[in-house]
Amino acid sequence: MLTGDAAYIKNINRCIIISKIIEHRMISRADLAKITGLNKATISVQVSDLLDEGLIIETLQEHKNLGRRPIMLSINQQAGFALGIDLDKNTITFTLSDLLGFPVHTDTFELQSSDYDVILGLLIKHIKDYKNRCTKTLYGLVGVVIGIHGIVNNDEMIYFVPQHQWHNKNLKNDIKNELGIDVYIENNANLCSFAERVYKHHQSENLLSVSLYSGIGLGIMINGESLKGYHGYAGEIGHMIVVPDGRPCSCGNSGCWEQYASEYSFFKQISESHQKTNVKYEDIQNWITKQEPITCQQMDQFIKYISIGLNNIINLYNPEILVINCELLRLYPNAISEIESQLKSTVGHYRELLISEFGKQACIMGACALVIKNFFDVSDISLNIGDEESS
């Protein structure tokens, strides 16, 4: 039984109401009461507070029936903005979204250096620019989440970024001390799985997202919560050994999965095979369409090694939904059926295997969603940006 003082209960009720307004986009007071089980007096007091704070707005619903038009409640999307950042191997991407997750501006910058102080300076400069853009709104820039392609602990310290060779960096404090803004650091694979649940698979309690880009990361959602492990290092599935004494890996081991099933490893191998530098997705698409033998052979090997890793993941976690985030597989016809044909274990069970619709945007979408979740201080959040443009 839930117990606590009045302020604690009031805060719980507030979180429930905000979550439902976000989920339904527009909802009446009466429907809020029905959905939440809260009485009308509680709804009335909470809604009044949220209106006074400028976090929600009222509109009259248009309808053709006789009688009073119901007053609908919705989030004030323009009251503030969230900034998501994807810090990858060669690029930094910034996306500013409104408070319902609709992107309003995106910038991508090429990285010319892996030096921590250089990249820190770039981050501070651009975050400051975004902060200044938002000063005329009620709440301004409400927070920043940075997705890291490496190991982040539970204290949001960067333990290791293989692609940049960073060790034990406190990026959170370095930025916060300079700008005085709420900054959160999260592993990119965790943000990808969060995006899948928040924007797409709202009802899935057990969802895994495997990202196959510069490395391989696993985002784990169990019972609707991120599973991060004792120190926060869970999900480094790219360093699962699939070929004993195989290709050397930057982690110090040999034969790691990401040396065979990441896009980075595929592009490296295909470039060597074709003796061509700067191979792009368009080149791969063209070679696949023409059934170019070397490309088709290497895609077969790529899918084989993906399947080996997925088989292990399925046996470990028994997921409801397993999402593969990989642009290469989006180019390849029947990729899912080919992978499933190689998942032959009689003990491995899952409900659905699919390729992410979000692609490389998943990390930054998850980052914006996490800013919004933290700003509203809600335990759960469902966003839907697929059916209309941001206002």
Side-chain angles (χ1 to χ4, degrees):
M1 179 178 179
L2 183 64
T3 61
D5 60 26
Y8 177 67
I9 299 299
K10 183 177 181 181
N11 188 60
I12 291 175
N13 292 338
R14 174 189 171 95
C15 293
I16 292 170
I17 289 168
I18 291 174
S19 292
K20 294 304 178 184
I21 295 174
I22 292 173
E23 179 182 349
H24 291 273
R25 297 278 292 279
M26 296 188 71
I27 189 170
S28 67
R29 289 170 173 80
D31 285 339
L32 263 180
K34 291 177 185 176
I35 291 169
T36 62
L38 300 173
N39 62 52
K40 292 181 179 180
T42 297
I43 296 291
S44 179
V45 170
Q46 291 278 1
V47 165
S48 178
D49 287 346
L50 292 170
L51 286 168
D52 289 342
E53 294 170 34
L55 290 174
I56 65 173
I57 55 175
E58 293 180 316
T59 54
L60 287 173
Q61 186 179 44
E62 294 184 9
H63 68 107
K64 298 179 181 179
N65 299 328
L66 297 175
R68 288 182 59 185
R69 290 186 293 168
I71 297 174
M72 307 300 288
L73 306 171
S74 57
I75 294 295
N76 183 1
Q77 291 176 246
Q78 306 298 316
F81 292 90
L83 182 60
I85 302 174
D86 183 1
L87 175 52
D88 205 345
K89 179 185 178 184
N90 298 313
T91 59
I92 306 179
T93 301
F94 299 79
T95 290
L96 193 71
S97 83
D98 66 22
L99 294 183
L100 282 179
F102 287 89
V104 297
H105 190 84
T106 295
D107 287 306
T108 298
F109 301 94
E110 297 290 328
L111 288 175
Q112 305 300 323
S113 170
S114 282
D115 183 81
Y116 176 77
D117 291 328
V118 171
I119 293 177
L120 173 63
L122 285 172
L123 287 167
I124 289 171
K125 176 185 181 298
H126 292 296
I127 293 171
K128 188 180 294 183
D129 289 344
Y130 277 105
K131 183 180 179 182
N132 291 337
R133 291 187 196 188
C134 302
T135 53
K136 294 183 179 179
T137 61
L138 185 60
Y139 287 93
L141 187 61
V142 301
V144 179
V145 167
I146 304 175
I148 301 296
H149 294 242
I151 303 174
V152 179
N153 70 20
N154 288 327
D155 294 324
E156 299 179 60
M157 280 279 294
I158 297 174
Y159 176 70
F160 181 47
V161 179
Q163 305 293 352
H164 294 300
Q165 288 297 302
W166 291 353
H167 295 268
N168 301 316
K169 299 297 185 182
N170 197 340
L171 184 62
K172 178 186 178 78
N173 281 358
D174 289 343
I175 294 175
K176 190 172 183 179
N177 291 340
E178 182 72 24
L179 298 178
I181 192 169
D182 288 332
V183 178
Y184 306 91
I185 309 297
E186 183 56 274
N187 170 267
N188 73 298
N190 290 339
L191 291 174
C192 288
S193 64
F194 186 62
E196 295 292 343
R197 187 172 191 274
V198 167
Y199 291 101
K200 183 72 176 177
H201 306 285
H202 305 306
Q203 305 306 317
S204 177
E205 292 294 302
N206 293 276
L207 180 149
L208 305 180
S209 173
V210 186
S211 299
L212 308 174
Y213 292 109
S214 54
I216 299 181
L218 176 66
I220 309 163
M221 301 290 292
I222 301 294
N223 297 324
E225 298 290 335
S226 289
L227 178 65
K228 297 186 177 183
Y230 177 55
H231 289 110
Y233 302 159
E236 290 299 321
I237 203 72
H239 300 289
M240 166 179 60
I241 295 173
V242 296
V243 180
D245 303 316
R247 298 171 190 162
C249 182
S250 60
C251 75
N253 282 325
S254 298
C256 293
W257 190 31
E258 67 179 41
Q259 296 302 317
Y260 299 86
S262 67
E263 289 198 356
Y264 175 78
S265 67
F266 179 88
F267 275 100
K268 182 179 179 181
Q269 296 298 314
I270 205 80
S271 294
E272 292 173 358
S273 298
H274 284 272
Q275 297 183 341
K276 175 182 171 66
T277 58
N278 298 320
V279 175
K280 302 184 184 304
Y281 290 108
E282 292 81 5
D283 298 317
I284 305 296
Q285 178 73 83
N286 185 44
W287 291 332
I288 290 173
T289 301
K290 292 180 177 179
Q291 292 289 293
E292 194 279 319
I294 293 176
T295 305
C296 291
Q297 181 183 11
Q298 291 192 208
M299 281 299 299
D300 288 343
Q301 283 293 105
F302 185 58
I303 287 175
K304 172 188 172 182
Y305 282 113
I306 289 174
S307 303
I308 289 171
L310 293 181
N311 183 77
N312 293 338
I313 291 170
I314 289 165
N315 287 332
L316 277 170
Y317 292 103
N318 178 216
E320 177 188 2
I321 295 175
L322 177 52
V323 183
I324 309 170
N325 198 313
C326 177
E327 289 293 319
L328 279 175
L329 293 184
R330 288 160 63 95
L331 303 177
Y332 196 69
N334 305 315
I336 288 297
S337 61
E338 289 198 22
I339 291 171
E340 289 186 317
S341 71
Q342 299 187 47
L343 302 178
K344 299 176 181 179
S345 171
T346 57
V347 297
H349 296 281
Y350 60 94
R351 184 173 71 80
E352 186 176 7
L353 176 68
L354 51 96
I355 298 172
S356 173
E357 296 177 8
F358 303 140
K360 290 187 175 181
Q361 298 302 309
C363 173
I364 211 157
M365 291 172 67
C368 289
L370 186 56
V371 173
I372 295 167
K373 179 178 181 291
N374 291 340
F375 172 67
F376 285 116
D377 193 25
V378 294
S379 60
D380 196 19
I381 189 170
S382 295
L383 299 170
N384 188 345
I385 61 174
D387 55 356
E388 67 178 70
E389 296 295 325
S390 176
S391 56

